[in-house]
Amino acid sequence: MEFLILGATDTVPAAIGNSLIQLLTFLILLGALSYFVWKPLKKVMDEREQLIHSEIDDAEQRRMEAVKLKEENEAVLRETQAEISEMMDNAKQQAKKEQEAIIHDANTRANQMMETAKADIEREKEKAIRDINDQVADISVLIAEKMISKEINQKDQKDLVARYLQEAGGK
């Protein structure tokens, strides 16, 4: 049986020796590659994998913190909106109370002013009536004095009354 190996010699023990040398060279090369290339490459790959995992973990933590902050912000926003709504309701109620108080005060003042005006009008009316009564009394006395001092006929009496009424209207 013959083996066809490149660079092989004609004998089987030489071919086995050659194969062993090639196997030994391959194993040495594999060991050298493993030591000089594979281990540093594996180390770099492991470091890179750890870096990626840590960045993923950090990103997940930041995402969770962002979700938590978002929820907190939404809660604060809801509370603020509730407070604003309550403040607006309170302000509306206060404004309505103030409006009612102002209207009540205005009505009270208007009623007081009307009562005062009515009293003033009544006093002025009574004063005018007293003044008219006084003038009528004065005119009556004056007419009576004139009538007594002079005896007059009916035509003179009408003229005298008209003249005194004209004088009384001038006072």
Side-chain angles (χ1 to χ4, degrees):
M1 210 185 226
E2 282 187 38
F3 291 102
L4 294 172
I5 300 175
L6 287 174
T9 58
D10 293 297
T11 66
V12 171
I16 291 177
N18 249 352
S19 294
L20 286 177
I21 290 176
Q22 284 179 352
L23 180 62
L24 183 65
T25 306
F26 176 73
L27 289 175
I28 291 172
L29 180 62
L30 188 61
L33 281 175
S34 172
Y35 183 76
F36 290 110
V37 176
W38 182 250
K39 284 185 180 179
L41 183 61
K42 174 92 169 114
K43 183 180 175 185
V44 168
M45 295 300 285
D46 288 341
E47 289 173 357
R48 178 73 177 158
E49 182 180 6
Q50 288 176 353
L51 178 66
I52 289 172
H53 283 297
S54 68
E55 287 180 356
I56 289 173
D57 291 341
D58 288 345
E60 184 64 23
Q61 277 184 328
R62 284 190 297 254
R63 187 188 68 78
M64 292 176 77
E65 288 175 6
V67 167
K68 182 181 175 183
L69 286 174
K70 179 183 175 190
E71 290 172 355
E72 290 174 0
N73 286 341
E74 287 174 351
V76 168
L77 180 63
R78 282 190 300 273
E79 289 175 13
T80 303
Q81 287 174 340
E83 288 175 8
I84 289 172
S85 177
E86 184 179 339
M87 290 171 66
M88 291 294 290
D89 290 342
N90 289 341
K92 285 178 184 177
Q93 289 174 355
Q94 184 65 26
K96 188 173 183 178
K97 287 178 184 177
E98 288 178 12
Q99 178 186 12
E100 289 172 358
I102 290 170
I103 290 171
H104 182 275
D105 289 345
N107 286 336
T108 303
R109 287 184 192 154
N111 288 338
Q112 288 174 349
M113 289 174 69
M114 286 175 54
E115 291 298 321
T116 303
K118 284 179 184 178
D120 288 345
I121 290 170
E122 190 63 33
R123 279 193 306 271
E124 290 296 322
K125 179 181 166 186
E126 289 173 6
K127 183 180 174 189
I129 289 172
R130 280 193 310 266
D131 288 345
I132 289 172
N133 286 339
D134 289 344
Q135 287 179 359
V136 168
D138 289 343
I139 290 173
S140 297
V141 170
L142 187 61
I143 289 174
E145 286 177 357
K146 295 285 183 173
M147 294 286 279
I148 294 174
S149 65
K150 174 179 176 189
E151 213 175 280
I152 52 174
N153 61 21
Q154 191 174 10
K155 182 180 181 257
D156 290 338
Q157 186 179 4
K158 284 183 183 178
D159 290 339
L160 185 63
V161 170
R163 193 176 82 212
Y164 287 123
L165 286 176
Q166 194 176 23
E167 286 178 18
K171 285 188 179 183

